[in-house]
Amino acid sequence: MATSSIIKILFLVFFSLAILNVSLSINDSSINVGCIESEKQALSVFKQHLFDPANRLASWVQHEDCCRRWVGVVCHNVSGHVLELHLQNPTLDDDATFAESEANMRSRLGGKIHHSLLNLTHLSYLDLSYNEFGGISIPDFFGSMLSLRHLNLSIAGFGGLIPHQLGNLSNMEYLNLDEYGLHVENLGWLAGMSRLKYLHMSTVNLRNATDWLQTLNMLPSLKELHLVNSQLPPISTHLLNPNFSSLAILNLAWNNLLNTSPIMSWVFSLKTLLSLDLSANKFEGPIPDALQNLTSLRHLDLSDNQFNSSIPDWLYGFSPLEFLNLQYNNLQGKISSAIGNMTSAISLDFSENNELGGGGIPKSLGNNLCNLKSISLGGVKLSQNISDIL
Ligand SMILES: *[C@@H]1O[C@H](CO)[C@@H](O)[C@H](O)[C@H]1NC(C)=O
Ligand SMILES: *[C@@H]1O[C@H](CO)[C@@H](O)[C@H](O)[C@H]1NC(C)=O
Ligand SMILES: *[C@@H]1O[C@H](CO)[C@@H](O)[C@H](O)[C@H]1NC(C)=O
Ligand SMILES: *[C@@H]1O[C@H](CO)[C@@H](O)[C@H](O)[C@H]1NC(C)=O
Ligand SMILES: *[C@@H]1O[C@H](CO)[C@@H](O)[C@H](O)[C@H]1NC(C)=O
Ligand SMILES: *[C@@H]1O[C@H](CO)[C@@H](O)[C@H](O)[C@H]1NC(C)=O
Ligand SMILES: *[C@@H]1O[C@H](CO)[C@@H](O)[C@H](O)[C@H]1NC(C)=O
Ligand SMILES: *[C@@H]1O[C@H](CO)[C@@H](O)[C@H](O)[C@H]1NC(C)=O
Ligand SMILES: *[C@@H]1O[C@H](CO)[C@@H](O)[C@H](O)[C@H]1NC(C)=O
Ligand SMILES: *[C@@H]1O[C@H](CO)[C@@H](O)[C@H](O)[C@H]1NC(C)=O
Ligand SMILES: *[C@@H]1O[C@H](CO)[C@@H](O)[C@H](O)[C@H]1NC(C)=O
């Protein structure tokens, strides 16, 4: 009796384990359906037209499953469609050796970009950054890869005119075209990317894009904008009902901007900004009071301009500020004891302002700024030892 019960129970246990096993393996096989043959062929043709001197794509061989074994390829776990291609050349750490950086240069992909990529109908993520395509144009057909949401062509050696067909990519959320050799006639096409959150077009020549701000104003989701050294043309003064309700990060360094640039009245109206970089422009005179309006700022870089006022009191009162860079200006006067109010400060750089700091550094700096990790005071007028303050 007891024995048969035990047998029954054991049988049940084994039976349910078996069921469990079966269902697990069904599930397993449905997750890893493997590569779709036509997409594998499309990738093979794409590879044949690439120049791959370091054989980075050695794993792309016919008898292997492109979803599981091909480096850089990510597929949908149920449908098997290729979703992502991560083909960027790795970026190097600053402390890389000469040999490492030589090897890194040699591992850059080049050659041609074959339109067989169009057969990857579900491709949403394409990263070709940091390769060396030798000045070829960005292919027009990229504008027909309508599933794309993320495109990174940063420092990949593309050149010439950016094809306006990219404006067809209405799902795009991340677009990085940071590359010295590129230019545009206008930016009107960008208006098609209404979901764009991140745009990086630093070093792209925008000199002829007089519509740049007008167009960007039609991108309501934009959170992060980098236009460093883009030769930004002046905008017409009659702008704007700013639409930039979510812009958080703005970098306009190296653009020859002046105090009088109409662009500045736009910048000062961006109340949601967390980070603003205006370094290496042509600003002069006092640090503009209008910056006070940007009450959410945590990161402010005004370095490498010609600001020559004293540090305004309101700046010390900017309590959320974590990073402040005022290096390489002509700032004057004392550093006020109100600096003790900058209680969130993590990094402060006052260096290379020859006329700043006479009278020393207030003790409140050492007493109140508990989060401070770095302060630079090289090239300012100091009359006491740092050890007396910190
Ligand atoms: C596979 O397992 C997941 C949970 O891990 C479940 O949600 C899904 O329905 C299962 N699919 C099949 C086909 O059994
Ligand atoms: C891409 O698809 C088209 C038709 O959909 C087909 O004719 C062509 O051979 C495919 N190309 C590659 C490289 O797979
Ligand atoms: C399949 O992918 C989706 C989204 O890509 C993810 O949310 C899900 O967890 C994945 N399922 C499995 C079983 O890995
Ligand atoms: C885009 O590429 C650049 C250069 O490789 C890299 O630094 C950056 O992190 C990439 N962006 C993303 C979101 O992966
Ligand atoms: C969108 O693509 C079509 C063809 O696919 C092209 O004729 C048109 O010029 C493109 N539109 C833009 C804004 O690039
Ligand atoms: C800007 O426009 C001028 C005049 O049409 C043209 O000569 C020049 O090549 C253009 N520059 C760029 C970078 O597109
Ligand atoms: C603000 O954005 C909306 C939606 O993109 C657009 O229709 C509108 O014209 C924009 N307003 C201005 C002043 O550009
Ligand atoms: C700063 O904000 C005030 C109040 O919101 C506003 O009246 C003023 O025009 C703003 N200044 C600038 C330069 O945007
Ligand atoms: C600051 O710079 C402005 C503009 O270059 C100049 O007019 C002014 O005299 C300078 N002020 C001081 C105190 O150097
Ligand atoms: C610094 O904080 C003190 C006390 O909260 C306040 O009285 C003073 O006005 C502040 N100074 C500045 C420049 O914000
Ligand atoms: C700085 O410290 C040195 C050595 O402790 C001392 O000789 C010197 O007088 C100090 N200078 C000032 C301005 O306190």
Side-chain angles (χ1 to χ4, degrees):
M1 187 69 181
T3 323
S4 84
S5 288
I6 288 169
I7 288 173
K8 267 187 194 164
I9 289 166
L10 279 179
F11 177 76
L12 280 175
V13 166
F14 276 116
F15 187 66
S16 34
L17 276 179
I19 289 175
L20 203 62
N21 231 334
V22 167
S23 74
L24 274 180
S25 62
I26 285 173
N27 206 331
D28 219 26
S29 65
S30 74
I31 288 170
N32 284 309
V33 283
C35 195
I36 294 171
E37 190 54 31
S38 64
E39 301 200 353
K40 185 190 235 179
Q41 292 321 316
L43 284 172
S44 295
V45 171
F46 169 65
K47 179 190 168 178
Q48 280 160 30
H49 289 80
L50 287 178
F51 175 57
D52 179 12
N55 214 6
R56 275 167 54 202
L57 305 185
S59 62
W60 289 29
V61 289
Q62 283 301 319
H63 64 273
E64 295 285 10
D65 179 347
C66 75
C67 292
R68 280 186 252 193
R69 299 274 180 243
W70 290 21
V71 76
V73 179
V74 175
C75 299
H76 191 273
N77 50 17
V78 178
S79 70
H81 281 295
V82 175
L83 299 180
E84 304 187 0
L85 289 178
H86 298 257
L87 300 178
Q88 69 277 17
N89 197 36
T91 45
L92 280 175
D93 294 338
D94 290 339
D95 57 1
T97 64
F98 183 71
E100 281 166 343
S101 63
E102 288 273 284
N104 180 260
M105 299 276 268
R106 278 196 304 271
S107 70
R108 293 179 299 180
L109 301 172
K112 293 209 179 73
I113 310 233
H114 195 270
H115 55 78
S116 68
L117 280 185
L118 282 175
N119 285 19
L120 308 175
T121 49
H122 289 66
L123 192 67
S124 72
Y125 186 111
L126 178 57
D127 191 342
L128 293 173
S129 66
Y130 220 55
N131 287 301
E132 179 48 279
F133 286 98
I136 63 169
S137 301
I138 296 172
D140 293 357
F141 75 77
F142 278 9
S144 303
M145 300 201 289
L146 298 179
S147 298
L148 272 189
R149 285 198 300 238
H150 180 113
L151 179 60
N152 195 346
L153 304 180
S154 171
I155 321 181
F158 288 100
L161 190 66
I162 295 174
H164 62 86
Q165 283 85 349
L166 293 187
N168 276 349
L169 301 173
S170 56
N171 291 311
M172 193 67 85
E173 293 174 5
Y174 175 99
L175 180 62
N176 192 334
L177 300 175
D178 168 29
E179 172 57 76
Y180 183 70
L182 293 168
H183 68 268
V184 298
E185 284 163 354
N186 61 64
L187 283 185
W189 49 272
L190 259 182
M193 298 185 181
S194 57
R195 296 184 184 170
L196 204 60
K197 293 189 180 121
Y198 177 105
L199 178 63
H200 197 334
M201 291 183 78
S202 296
T203 70
V204 174
N205 187 337
L206 302 184
R207 186 180 302 183
N208 286 351
T210 47
D211 62 342
W212 68 273
L213 190 49
Q214 202 181 322
T215 304
L216 296 180
N217 199 39
M218 285 151 86
L219 302 175
S221 308
L222 203 62
K223 287 200 161 52
E224 190 166 343
L225 175 61
H226 298 264
L227 298 175
V228 177
N229 193 10
S230 302
Q231 308 190 41
L232 285 180
I235 55 165
S236 58
T237 44
H238 66 268
L239 228 69
L240 257 172
N241 292 325
N243 247 348
F244 292 91
S245 51
S246 34
L247 198 64
I249 299 179
L250 176 62
N251 191 343
L252 298 178
W254 292 95
N255 277 298
N256 291 325
L257 297 176
L258 307 169
N259 301 40
T260 50
S261 303
I263 292 169
M264 295 318 296
S265 61
W266 163 63
V267 172
F268 296 142
S269 73
L270 299 172
K271 298 201 160 104
T272 52
L273 278 189
L274 301 178
S275 171
L276 175 62
D277 190 336
L278 295 173
S279 61
N281 280 293
K282 297 247 153 70
F283 298 114
E284 54 181 26
I287 291 179
D289 284 341
L291 279 173
Q292 285 181 80
N293 276 11
L294 310 183
T295 48
S296 309
L297 276 186
R298 296 205 190 121
H299 187 126
L300 177 61
D301 191 339
L302 300 175
S303 62
D304 210 350
N305 282 290
Q306 302 289 324
F307 291 120
N308 65 0
S309 59
S310 56
I311 297 175
D313 272 351
W314 58 259
L315 191 50
Y316 300 118
F318 250 50
S319 47
L321 207 58
E322 294 171 0
F323 297 86
L324 174 64
N325 192 348
L326 299 174
Q327 187 188 40
Y328 284 109
N329 280 285
N330 296 319
L331 295 168
Q332 328 226 335
K334 296 180 181 171
I335 294 177
S336 152
S337 63
I339 196 171
N341 288 9
M342 302 181 80
T343 47
S344 307
I346 293 171
S347 165
L348 298 173
D349 193 335
F350 298 112
S351 62
E352 310 305 334
N353 286 281
N354 297 328
E355 298 300 318
L356 182 68
I361 307 283
K363 284 231 188 290
S364 59
L365 182 93
N367 294 342
N368 299 9
L369 306 193
C370 309
N371 298 315
L372 198 63
K373 295 213 167 65
S374 130
I375 179 160
S376 304
L377 295 162
V380 307
K381 252 192 203 170
L382 277 187
S383 55
Q384 87 258 61
N385 285 330
I386 281 286
S387 57
D388 293 343
I389 310 156
L390 297 179

